[in-house]
Amino acid sequence: MAKILITDDAAFMRMQLKDILTKLGHEVIGEAENGHVAIEKFKELQPELVTMDITMPEMNGVEAVKEIKKINPHAKVIMCSAMGQQGMVVEAIQAGAKDFIVKPFTPERIGEAVNKVL
């Protein structure tokens, strides 16, 4: 299965995503709490897939996706957003995200998004 980098400013969300992805058979090779850390870890770990929260301190997910796409135009990113962030989801897709999941998410929806993107 895929090597995945999880990006979310909330430790609880990272833990929840890691648990779901691991149970789906994927390997979580890194975690980042903001966009800056995600970019550094993306360069270092070269994951096959990145999950990216939209709203984070220091650098938001949309900005981070743009930077990751500069590093690797073929990078696969799934955005995670709370309800009511549709405008930012559209911006994220335009920046190069391949899919998005809305919080609170279900393991089924995560599996579906991951399979679609990979």
Side-chain angles (χ1 to χ4, degrees):
M1 290 309 241
K3 291 180 176 26
I4 301 176
L5 170 64
I6 296 173
T7 310
D8 199 301
D9 58 324
F12 172 75
M13 292 305 299
R14 292 197 307 268
M15 191 178 72
Q16 197 179 10
L17 262 173
K18 183 176 186 172
D19 184 52
I20 292 168
L21 290 165
T22 304
K23 283 179 180 159
L24 290 170
H26 300 287
E27 182 186 354
V28 175
I29 58 170
E31 295 181 27
E33 63 276 4
N34 65 50
H36 288 299
V37 176
I39 292 162
E40 291 312 308
K41 293 212 172 183
F42 181 82
K43 289 180 197 169
E44 177 193 333
L45 303 170
Q46 300 184 343
E48 295 165 67
L49 177 68
V50 180
T51 67
M52 183 75 68
D53 186 22
I54 289 184
T55 311
M56 295 181 290
E58 293 183 53
M59 178 187 271
N60 73 36
V62 176
E63 292 169 20
V65 169
K66 289 177 182 171
E67 292 303 312
I68 285 172
K69 285 296 205 172
K70 285 180 192 169
I71 298 162
N72 179 355
H74 303 293
K76 294 179 171 81
V77 182
I78 296 175
M79 301 305 292
C80 301
S81 77
M83 289 301 273
Q85 292 182 315
Q86 281 78 5
M88 290 191 82
V89 167
V90 170
E91 202 181 327
I93 300 289
Q94 289 169 340
K98 300 285 185 211
D99 200 355
F100 68 94
I101 43 183
V102 178
K103 298 176 188 175
F105 36 68
T106 63
E108 295 75 24
R109 177 64 188 111
I110 291 171
E112 186 185 296
V114 169
N115 291 337
K116 177 180 145 185
V117 170
L118 294 174

